[in-house]
Amino acid sequence: MPLYKRTPFPLRSPPLGLMPNDSIFIIRFTNEIFMNYDAYLKRINLYRQRVWTCKITGKSGLTYEEALVSEQHASNEAQKFPEELVIPVLHMVQFSTLKQNDLVSTIYRSLQWCFAEGEETYGSFENSMCPCKILRVLEKADGKDGPQYEVGWLDKSKNVASISIVNAESLTRKKLPFTREMLKSFMRESTSKTSPWVVHDILAQKHGISREPPKEILEKIGKNTKMENGHGNSGAKKRPNIENGETEDLANKRKRKTEEKEPLVEQIQYPIDDLLVKLGDDDPVYTQRPVPATDFLVPMDCVGDLLMAWDFFSSFSHVLRLSQFSLDDFENAVVYKESDSDLIVEAHSSILRMLIKDESDYYTSIQEKKRDLKITSKNWTGYLCEFLQMETVSGFSGQLTKIRDGHHFMLDVKVKLNILSELVYWALMTEAIRGQLDEYIEQCQAIMLTKREEELEDLRKRKEQQQQQKEASLTKGSDTNSLEALDSRQNGDIKEVLQPGKSSWQEIVPLENGGNKQATLLSRRIMMKQKLNAQMHEAREKKRIQMEERKRLRDKGKQAREKKLKEKRQEHFNREIEKRIIRTSVLGKDRDYNRYWFFCRDGRLFVESANHNQWGFYSSKEELDGLLLSLNPKGDRERALKGQVEKHYNKICAGIQKRSKEIAQRNDMDTAVLRRSIRVHGPRKCGATLPFLNYGNKLKTDL
């Protein structure tokens, strides 16, 4: 079992008095049972923390489940340890006091020249190294020269061709049949203690390993026991306080309660698994999730095949030379029972033409029967029958007669979609489709590279602008200081001309107290000069502010234009990439593992149940908003789903709006045609109410 902070962690025992109708919570990977949800959630949160250690490998920083998986892998790895080396390794491990790495190195060196019965190795035979198998280990009579081995020399079929007795020097091993990691896993899996190493009793009894510790080990254990019983100053255990009324039973009970006490658990860190999330008092009010519409024309278990086939035809329309059609038209055409519409005929014929051009097994089958390679609306069912009769296509033999007679439209809807699915599967393996995929991948990579280069260039320009603004601010400050210094110097020169050594003209000229007329005139001139300088400085400052404001407005307008241009470029790149993305990926999953799909060419948000047998869709902005308001970001799945829906929100809304307009226009046209037909008392055309009957393949070309 995994270790909690490198110590054993006991699992919770089943609750007592559990009744069949009681609500319980079970942890999947430990089978622990809880009757209280808070305790269950705390334990789950503890298991999700990276504080667990794999008991076998010693890996730390794992979650509980990761540690379990690591132990399972290590256990499986230990099972691969060579059986013939199990006994000698266990003998060396039993009661060893070495550390793990030292013990592994010792065993590795010992086994390099030690061979066991049943082991296959190489030996010197007739002056050459030949493969052999150890049949028996023999001891010499004097016991001085080491063991001898009875070996069987193997032929090319690994059979014993001859037998001889050789010394250990005559045998060699290219490499040991196990790695150091495998040996470590085997040692941890086979032992119950590591200081000293003690082999499990079952293994020791099975392989005849001594279970009696050596005398030096017993002496060491005895010393440790004395220390623990209080003969040493450190490490003495606390004894029950008999004098204070604490009995031995109460002391043991207190000890067990302390051991069983759970470690401190931190506050729950969201997001967690959606099924574990429960609403709290401070959580916002989540609206009830809108119920998806399920008014499909095809059976519910056929919706997946319908979407897959339509998405294929829409994605590869240019390669198939097939004009695109809506999902509604395709669904109506599949369920139509009066005849095979042109849409159905062209959909089948486009794939059959591609299989012929690819010169696949289908092309070979057509050639063998010397059929004309031109597929038309009159003979397409015959070519379809040839495809369904191929050895690699099975399950349609009972439908061939009806198809050959031109009654394909009378087939069950599920059979029709199964045939289309088989055709799509074969089309995906053609060179044309694979070539288109490779071309799209290269184009996407080129677009992404261009986009990245423009982003780097934009980043470089922004850095240059920031540097220029920084330099301009420094220059502006120095210019302002220069102007102030210049003004002060000019005023100072005038003062010095008046009278050197005086700090101001007031000290020179007494205006009110008996100053002469000349001094009064001079003082007025100085005042006028200072006033003029102040006015000039104010005018310069005002002009500078106006110029800065105009420059700021110009820069603001330029930045707005650049931002708008950048957004348009980003939209252009995204549109070009979307055009070349073939695979439609799921947006995400909700709490109950329902999957959400969005097809750009349809405009609806489809919902697939977890068991893949139920489908629905949202077709209005209100339903989309209701879905977003019902998703709880505390759960892993709904948090990711909400992020994806918000990311593609504008695109989904645009698709919904476009589809709503198309449906409204179609309804208006049907109403107008119906009124006109009633007014003239003429028969109404089928195409007016069934638009798919008006389908025409404008991309069709002769084979």
Side-chain angles (χ1 to χ4, degrees):
M1 297 296 289
L3 305 177
Y4 176 74
K5 296 182 179 179
R6 299 192 177 276
T7 58
F9 182 78
L11 296 181
R12 187 186 183 96
S13 56
L16 300 176
L18 188 63
M19 303 300 293
N21 296 328
D22 289 343
S23 297
I24 60 173
F25 304 92
I26 302 178
I27 297 179
R28 169 177 49 83
F29 43 84
T30 63
N31 291 325
E32 292 176 288
I33 300 175
F34 295 82
M35 299 185 69
N36 181 272
Y37 180 77
D38 291 336
Y40 165 77
L41 199 58
K42 286 182 180 179
R43 182 61 67 94
I44 278 287
N45 192 45
L46 173 64
Y47 287 153
R48 287 175 177 269
Q49 296 179 28
R50 296 191 171 277
V51 294
W52 300 91
T53 303
C54 174
K55 182 180 178 181
I56 299 178
T57 63
K59 291 181 181 178
S60 59
L62 306 176
T63 65
Y64 189 92
E65 195 167 6
E66 289 173 347
L68 276 179
V69 173
S70 177
E71 289 183 358
Q72 183 62 40
H73 289 171
S75 179
N76 294 338
E77 192 72 14
Q79 301 300 323
K80 300 177 184 178
F81 196 79
E83 293 184 5
E84 61 273 10
L85 299 178
V86 169
I87 295 178
V89 168
L90 292 181
H91 274 292
M92 286 183 273
V93 169
Q94 182 74 313
F95 301 122
S96 173
T97 58
L98 296 175
K99 294 183 178 180
Q100 184 184 45
N101 290 335
D102 296 337
L103 182 57
V104 167
S105 299
T106 302
I107 294 174
Y108 219 81
R109 287 193 300 268
S110 300
L111 293 180
Q112 193 68 37
W113 302 105
C114 179
F115 303 92
E117 292 184 6
E119 183 181 355
E120 293 186 5
T121 182
Y122 289 84
S124 177
F125 182 71
E126 296 180 354
N127 298 326
S128 63
M129 298 304 295
C130 300
C132 61
K133 184 175 183 180
I134 307 297
L135 301 180
R136 279 196 305 164
V137 180
L138 306 174
E139 294 288 345
K140 276 194 173 183
D142 52 12
K144 295 181 180 180
D145 296 334
Q148 289 185 318
Y149 301 94
E150 180 181 331
V151 300
W153 303 101
L154 305 178
D155 56 17
K156 294 181 179 180
S157 302
K158 297 291 184 180
N159 296 322
V160 177
S162 60
I163 299 175
S164 61
I165 297 176
V166 297
N167 296 323
E169 292 78 9
S170 302
L171 300 176
T172 185
R173 180 188 282 117
K174 290 187 176 181
K175 66 175 183 178
L176 288 171
F178 59 86
T179 62
R180 289 180 179 269
E181 293 300 322
M182 189 184 298
L183 178 57
K184 289 180 181 179
S185 298
F186 174 74
M187 289 165 51
R188 285 184 172 272
E189 181 75 9
S190 304
T191 55
S192 58
K193 293 183 180 180
T194 58
S195 182
W197 295 83
V198 178
V199 177
H200 287 300
D201 288 343
I202 297 176
L203 284 176
Q205 187 175 1
K206 177 181 178 181
H207 298 292
I209 310 297
S210 174
R211 289 182 286 174
E212 292 295 329
K215 184 181 295 185
E216 58 271 16
I217 298 295
L218 290 175
E219 291 177 356
K220 187 174 182 180
I221 294 175
K223 290 180 181 179
N224 292 338
T225 303
K226 290 181 180 180
M227 292 292 293
E228 291 175 356
N229 287 336
H231 294 286
N233 293 328
S234 61
K237 287 188 176 181
K238 183 179 178 180
R239 296 185 177 183
N241 193 347
I242 305 297
E243 296 177 0
N244 294 336
E246 184 179 21
T247 63
E248 190 76 25
D249 292 338
L250 289 175
N252 292 334
K253 186 176 181 180
R254 176 171 52 80
K255 180 181 177 182
R256 285 196 301 270
K257 186 175 181 180
T258 303
E259 291 176 351
E260 293 176 359
K261 184 178 179 181
E262 290 187 1
L264 294 177
V265 181
E266 299 178 2
Q267 189 177 3
I268 299 172
Q269 299 294 326
Y270 295 103
I272 60 175
D273 188 88
D274 298 68
L275 297 177
L276 302 178
V277 176
K278 281 197 172 183
L279 294 178
D281 296 335
D282 56 343
D283 287 342
V285 178
Y286 296 100
T287 61
Q288 187 174 359
R289 189 159 304 166
V291 179
T294 58
D295 50 341
F296 296 103
L297 300 179
V298 300
M300 188 61 70
D301 58 344
C302 298
V303 176
D305 291 336
L306 177 79
L307 291 172
M308 182 272 297
W310 172 78
D311 192 40
F312 171 79
F313 288 127
S314 300
S315 301
F316 296 100
S317 59
H318 288 284
V319 184
L320 295 168
R321 310 302 300 172
L322 180 69
S323 298
Q324 291 190 0
F325 41 81
S326 67
L327 177 59
D328 291 330
D329 287 347
F330 183 55
E331 186 178 15
N332 279 287
V334 169
V335 300
Y336 193 57
K337 291 287 187 178
E338 296 184 12
S339 64
D340 285 316
S341 63
D342 290 344
L343 191 154
I344 292 295
V345 174
E346 291 300 325
H348 287 78
S349 301
S350 62
I351 297 182
L352 294 174
R353 293 189 189 101
M354 177 178 286
L355 295 178
I356 292 175
K357 286 183 180 179
D358 194 61
E359 297 184 357
S360 58
D361 295 342
Y362 176 66
Y363 171 78
T364 305
S365 176
I366 296 295
Q367 287 286 79
E368 289 177 354
K369 296 185 179 180
K370 298 181 180 180
R371 293 182 64 98
D372 185 13
L373 297 180
K374 187 174 182 179
I375 301 176
T376 65
S377 59
K378 295 181 179 180
N379 64 3
W380 73 278
T381 54
Y383 286 88
L384 180 60
C385 288
E386 293 294 340
F387 172 79
L388 298 177
Q389 286 178 314
M390 293 172 57
E391 293 182 358
T392 51
V393 180
S394 60
F396 302 101
S397 57
Q399 317 299 332
L400 294 176
T401 303
K402 190 177 291 186
I403 297 174
R404 191 177 287 112
D405 293 341
H407 296 147
H408 171 271
F409 59 89
M410 297 178 64
L411 295 176
D412 185 70
V413 172
K414 188 171 185 178
V415 176
K416 290 181 183 179
L417 289 173
N418 286 340
I419 293 173
L420 280 172
S421 299
E422 191 70 28
L423 285 169
V424 169
Y425 170 77
W426 278 77
L428 287 172
M429 295 188 292
T430 60
E431 290 295 330
I433 297 295
R434 292 182 178 274
Q436 184 67 69
L437 288 172
D438 293 339
E439 181 181 349
Y440 280 163
I441 291 173
E442 292 176 359
Q443 291 176 358
C444 284
Q445 290 175 346
I447 294 171
M448 292 296 292
L449 180 61
T450 305
K451 182 180 178 182
R452 179 60 178 166
E453 289 175 352
E454 290 191 3
E455 290 176 350
L456 292 175
E457 180 66 18
D458 182 63
L459 180 62
R460 184 185 64 79
K461 288 182 179 179
R462 286 204 305 270
K463 287 184 177 179
E464 289 181 355
Q465 291 176 356
Q466 292 174 358
Q467 184 66 23
Q468 291 174 359
Q469 291 175 357
K470 186 177 180 181
E471 293 175 355
S473 63
L474 294 175
T475 306
K476 175 184 173 183
S478 61
D479 292 344
T480 304
N481 295 334
S482 300
L483 288 173
E484 292 176 353
L486 180 60
D487 291 341
S488 64
R489 278 200 308 272
Q490 289 175 350
N491 295 333
D493 292 342
I494 294 173
K495 294 174 186 177
E496 290 174 4
V497 169
L498 292 174
Q499 186 173 348
K502 297 294 182 179
S503 60
S504 64
W505 60 269
Q506 287 90 343
E507 297 179 9
I508 304 171
V509 182
L511 295 179
E512 302 294 337
N513 300 321
N516 57 30
K517 185 177 180 180
Q518 184 179 0
T520 303
L521 292 174
L522 184 59
S523 64
R524 290 177 179 176
R525 190 180 301 169
I526 293 172
M527 291 175 65
M528 291 176 64
K529 182 66 174 178
Q530 288 182 340
K531 185 177 181 180
L532 179 62
N533 288 339
Q535 291 175 351
M536 291 175 62
H537 178 73
E538 184 179 353
R540 284 196 303 268
E541 187 68 18
K542 185 176 180 180
K543 186 177 180 180
R544 183 183 64 80
I545 293 174
Q546 290 175 350
M547 292 177 64
E548 288 182 354
E549 181 65 17
R550 286 196 294 269
K551 185 176 183 299
R552 187 185 67 81
L553 293 175
R554 286 197 304 269
D555 292 343
K556 186 177 180 180
K558 183 180 178 181
Q559 290 176 359
R561 290 191 297 272
E562 289 179 351
K563 183 179 180 181
K564 189 174 182 180
L565 180 62
K566 181 181 176 182
E567 290 176 352
K568 286 184 177 180
R569 289 289 295 169
Q570 293 292 332
E571 291 175 359
H572 169 72
F573 286 136
N574 293 334
R575 283 196 304 270
E576 292 300 316
I577 291 174
E578 286 177 1
K579 290 178 183 178
R580 291 160 177 81
I581 292 178
I582 300 300
R583 181 182 177 186
T584 301
S585 300
V586 62
L587 289 178
K589 302 176 182 178
D590 63 14
R591 181 179 187 274
D592 301 316
Y593 294 94
N594 299 318
R595 303 199 294 176
Y596 291 74
W597 301 84
F598 176 69
F599 300 90
C600 298
R601 302 174 184 88
D602 180 70
R604 286 177 286 183
L605 184 63
F606 289 88
V607 186
E608 179 188 9
S609 65
N611 54 10
H612 312 293
N613 60 6
Q614 293 290 325
W615 285 83
F617 61 85
Y618 297 127
S619 58
S620 68
K621 184 177 179 297
E622 292 74 18
E623 291 176 330
L624 183 63
D625 293 338
L627 171 65
L628 282 173
L629 293 174
S630 68
L631 297 175
N632 191 339
K634 285 187 174 181
D636 292 314
R637 292 183 295 278
E638 294 199 351
R639 184 188 186 92
L641 175 60
K642 186 174 184 179
Q644 287 297 312
V645 174
E646 289 176 343
K647 178 181 178 182
H648 300 284
Y649 181 81
N650 293 333
K651 187 194 304 181
I652 298 173
C653 288
I656 290 174
Q657 186 177 6
K658 180 181 177 182
R659 183 173 184 273
S660 300
K661 286 183 178 180
E662 291 175 352
I663 293 175
Q665 291 174 359
R666 184 176 297 178
N667 292 336
D668 292 342
M669 290 177 60
D670 291 346
T671 303
V673 171
L674 178 60
R675 289 176 178 174
R676 187 165 55 250
S677 64
I678 293 175
R679 190 165 56 248
V680 300
H681 302 288
R684 196 163 39 131
K685 294 182 179 180
C686 293
T689 55
L690 301 175
F692 70 92
L693 294 177
N694 296 328
Y695 173 81
N697 186 9
K698 299 178 181 179
L699 301 179
K700 179 180 177 181
T701 57
D702 294 333
L703 185 64

